[in-house]
């Protein structure tokens, strides 16, 4: 019985690892142009070429990476809400097409924000471990979580773009006790995988981070629903 239980747990773990591997592989495939340019940064001959490559990457992000990541979140949502389907690529492609325009709009919005953040940080000449450094660190965490909440909200709720932006903004700022643990868990996983082996990081990180963030997003939504039901019961 003990052996059977261990085998069952090992099988479940193997199944999850396989699913994450496939999901991450699909995501990397759809991100191939951006991934290729990111790798090419290690081989640019001059700093100027590096800046040009970075500029091209930033321009491509809204049109390639954001729709691909939205579809990855859609796949994670399907698994978290326990909707069974073996047609992962077909489902991914469906989510990709259905949310492409909204994803691009979100990409343009967030890439602009990230660009402004980078320029502002560069001009501020922030010193490590200074008060301003920690301010930017917290701001980065919130901005990143806002971005991730947008991906999750896009595949979870059929609402307008600006409504989603406002909603996820308040989620990122209003639920710091969820924001920090989600980011912490995702960061620990990404760092651990990279330390284990960079190739393992490439194979799993995207899907695991998406899973962590959508799970956190789902917890916030469920908490809001419970509060709403409680208020309705109190009014009755």
């Amino acid at each position: 019985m003990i052996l059977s239980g261990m085998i069952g747990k090992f099988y479940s773990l193997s199944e999850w690892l396989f699913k994450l591997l496939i999901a991450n592989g699909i995501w990397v495939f759809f991100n191939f142009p951006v991934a290729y340019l990111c790798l090419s940064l290690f081989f640019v001959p001059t700093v100027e070429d590096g800046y040009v490559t970075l500029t091209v990457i930033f321009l491509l992000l809204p049109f390639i990476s954001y729709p691909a990541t939205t579809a990855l979140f859609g796949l994670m949502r399907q698994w978290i809400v326990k909707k069974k389907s073996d047609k992962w690529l077909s489902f991914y492609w469906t989510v990709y097409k259905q949310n492409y325009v909204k994803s691009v709009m979100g990409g343009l919005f967030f890439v602009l924000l990230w660009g402004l953040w980078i320029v502002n940080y560069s001009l501020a000449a922030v010193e490590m471990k200074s008060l301003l450094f920690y301010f930017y660190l917290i701001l980065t965490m919130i901005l990143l979580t806002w971005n991730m909440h947008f991906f999750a909200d896009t595949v979870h709720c059929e609402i307008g773009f600006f409504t989603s932006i406002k909603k996820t903004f308040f989620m990122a700022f209003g639920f710091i006790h969820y924001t920090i643990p989600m980011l912490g868990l995702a960061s620990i996983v990404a760092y651990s995988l990279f330390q284990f082996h960079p190739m393992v990081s490439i194979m799993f990180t995207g899907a695991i981070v998406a899973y962590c963030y959508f799970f956190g997003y789902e917890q916030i939504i469920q908490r809001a629903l419970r509060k709403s039901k409680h208020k309705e019961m109190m009014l009755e």
Side-chain angles (χ1 to χ4, degrees), residues 31-78:
N31 264 304
F32 180 76
V34 173
Y36 176 80
L37 288 173
C38 287
L39 288 174
S40 71
L41 286 171
F42 293 100
F43 306 101
V44 291
T46 64
V47 175
E48 289 75 15
D49 289 335
Y51 283 128
V52 171
T53 304
L54 278 173
T55 302
V56 174
I57 290 171
F58 260 78
L59 291 174
L60 290 178
L61 284 175
F63 304 98
I64 294 177
S65 294
Y66 271 75
T69 306
T70 297
L72 179 63
F73 269 74
L75 202 54
M76 296 303 105
R77 176 188 181 276
Q78 186 188 40

Side-chain angles (χ1 to χ4, degrees), residues 205-226:
T205 299
I208 292 176
V209 169
Y211 187 93
C212 291
Y213 268 103
F214 189 87
F215 181 81
Y217 168 88
E218 177 71 7
Q219 298 308 303
I220 295 173
I221 294 296
Q222 292 301 322
R223 179 182 175 182
L225 289 174
R226 287 194 297 269

Side-chain angles (χ1 to χ4, degrees), residues 90-120:
S90 175
F91 180 79
Y92 184 97
W93 178 239
T94 300
V95 176
Y96 184 94
K97 291 187 296 181
Q98 289 177 345
N99 297 284
Y100 185 81
V101 174
K102 188 176 179 181
S103 298
V104 170
M105 292 173 66
L108 293 171
F109 176 79
F110 282 107
V111 166
L112 177 61
L113 280 184
W114 282 113
L116 292 173
W117 182 95
I118 292 171
V119 171
N120 192 273

Side-chain angles (χ1 to χ4, degrees), residues 66 70 73 99 101-107 109-110 144-156 160-166 168-169 171 217:
Y66 271 75
T70 297
F73 269 74
N99 297 284
V101 174
K102 188 176 179 181
S103 298
V104 170
M105 292 173 66
F109 176 79
F110 282 107
L144 179 60
T145 304
W146 182 14
N147 204 153
M148 294 298 173
H149 281 336
F150 174 77
F151 287 130
D153 197 66
T154 299
V155 298
H156 193 67
F161 171 73
F162 291 106
T163 303
S164 182
I165 287 291
K166 289 187 289 184
T168 51
F169 173 81
M171 288 178 71
Y217 168 88

Side-chain angles (χ1 to χ4, degrees), residues 116-132:
L116 292 173
W117 182 95
I118 292 171
V119 171
N120 192 273
Y121 182 83
S122 301
L123 295 176
V126 179
E127 295 182 4
M128 291 292 290
K129 297 184 179 180
S130 65
L131 186 62
L132 192 58

